[in-house]
Amino acid sequence: MEAPGYRRRQLPVLLLCVNGVMTLGFTGACQRTNVCNESLMLEKLPACGKFFEDMMKKVDSKKWCNLTEFIMYYDNFTQCTEHEAKNASCFWPNPLTEGFITGIHKQFFSNCTSEKVHWEDPPDEILITLILIPVMLTCAMITLVVWCSKRSDILV
Ligand SMILES: *[C@@H]1O[C@H](CO)[C@@H](O)[C@H](O)[C@H]1NC(C)=O
Ligand SMILES: *[C@@H]1O[C@H](CO)[C@@H](O)[C@H](O)[C@H]1NC(C)=O
Ligand SMILES: *[C@@H]1O[C@H](CO)[C@@H](O)[C@H](O)[C@H]1NC(C)=O
Ligand SMILES: *[C@@H]1O[C@H](CO)[C@@H](O)[C@H](O)[C@H]1NC(C)=O
Ligand SMILES: *[C@@H]1O[C@H](CO)[C@@H](O)[C@H](O)[C@H]1NC(C)=O
């Protein structure tokens, strides 16, 4: 059996930690959304597209639907958009870069059927984990709140 005093001392520390993490997370998010310079980002994105275009011209156009042939350039292109978005203090991905990337997709992959392009899906285990983490966090918070209110009932 645990001494009850031990648990009572742990709880405020835990709440302080949760509070600290949330405060840090929210301030970080606010600071980054503040100053997204969309015009700067839109100015820089075409350079990424141009680089990708030049690279794709070196690839046989019959192989444009085979992702393994150009995954390196595509990766570089995605990183380029991410870099430019972040440099303009914008989140990545964001609707404007998505629109730009979709335009590039139309230019090169409009004739590819989804069967031919082998986009890589994350394995099921990773998807399930990604879904389960927020669910479990929510459960943990609810349990904590219920547990706290029960304890204050007993203490009063
Ligand atoms: C955004 O970037 C442009 C250059 O593309 C610059 O002229 C403008 O001053 C920037 N705006 C802000 C708010 O930094
Ligand atoms: C795609 O390209 C790779 C490397 O050249 C090749 O091994 C593979 O068979 C190709 N896949 C298709 C579906 O053409
Ligand atoms: C990725 O792109 C940058 C320029 O945007 C270039 O300097 C670099 O060599 C490229 N890397 C690869 C692996 O193609
Ligand atoms: C990052 O953005 C600033 C303007 O905010 C610009 O002067 C600088 O050249 C950019 N750096 C890169 C690597 O694009
Ligand atoms: C798609 O096919 C059309 C008609 O065959 C052709 O004109 C066009 O250039 C092709 N686009 C790409 C990206 O291969």
Side-chain angles (χ1 to χ4, degrees), residues 8 12 18-19 28 30 37 50 52 60 66-67 76 78 94 101 105 113 118 123 132 140 143-144 150:
R8 222 177 297 149
V18 171
N19 189 15
C30 289
N37 190 340
K50 181 75 172 57
F52 183 63
D60 184 356
N66 187 343
L67 185 64
N76 202 337
T78 326
N94 60 55
I101 291 173
H105 278 194
T113 63
H118 299 284
L132 279 186
T143 315
L144 196 63
K150 274 204 185 138

Side-chain angles (χ1 to χ4, degrees), residues 64 106-111:
W64 277 359
K106 281 206 188 109
Q107 187 181 343
F108 290 103
F109 313 130
S110 55
N111 291 347

Side-chain angles (χ1 to χ4, degrees), residues 79-144:
Q79 274 170 20
C80 179
T81 62
E82 182 175 359
H83 173 79
E84 295 302 353
K86 296 237 169 100
N87 191 38
S89 310
C90 303
F91 278 114
W92 187 91
N94 60 55
L96 284 172
T97 46
E98 302 242 307
F100 181 75
I101 291 173
T102 311
I104 294 283
H105 278 194
K106 281 206 188 109
Q107 187 181 343
F108 290 103
F109 313 130
S110 55
N111 291 347
C112 301
T113 63
S114 53
E115 264 171 51
K116 280 199 216 149
V117 186
H118 299 284
W119 296 111
E120 285 164 13
D121 269 338
D124 279 354
E125 303 90 67
I126 293 178
L127 274 184
I128 290 169
T129 315
L130 285 179
I131 293 165
L132 279 186
I133 287 172
V135 172
M136 285 186 334
L137 274 181
T138 313
C139 288
M141 291 303 285
I142 291 172
T143 315
L144 196 63

Side-chain angles (χ1 to χ4, degrees), residues 14-50:
L14 181 64
L15 284 178
L16 212 65
C17 288
V18 171
N19 189 15
V21 167
M22 286 186 141
T23 316
L24 274 178
F26 286 135
T27 2
C30 289
Q31 275 167 356
R32 275 209 282 168
T33 42
N34 256 347
V35 282
C36 173
N37 190 340
E38 288 186 350
S39 56
L40 177 65
M41 187 179 71
L42 287 177
E43 232 172 67
K44 300 283 179 144
L45 283 181
C48 300
K50 181 75 172 57

Side-chain angles (χ1 to χ4, degrees), residues 1-12 147 151 154-155:
M1 279 286 278
E2 264 178 290
Y6 173 75
R7 285 182 137 206
R8 222 177 297 149
R9 262 183 280 123
Q10 291 283 300
L11 185 60
W147 188 70
R151 278 210 71 86
I154 298 168
L155 290 176

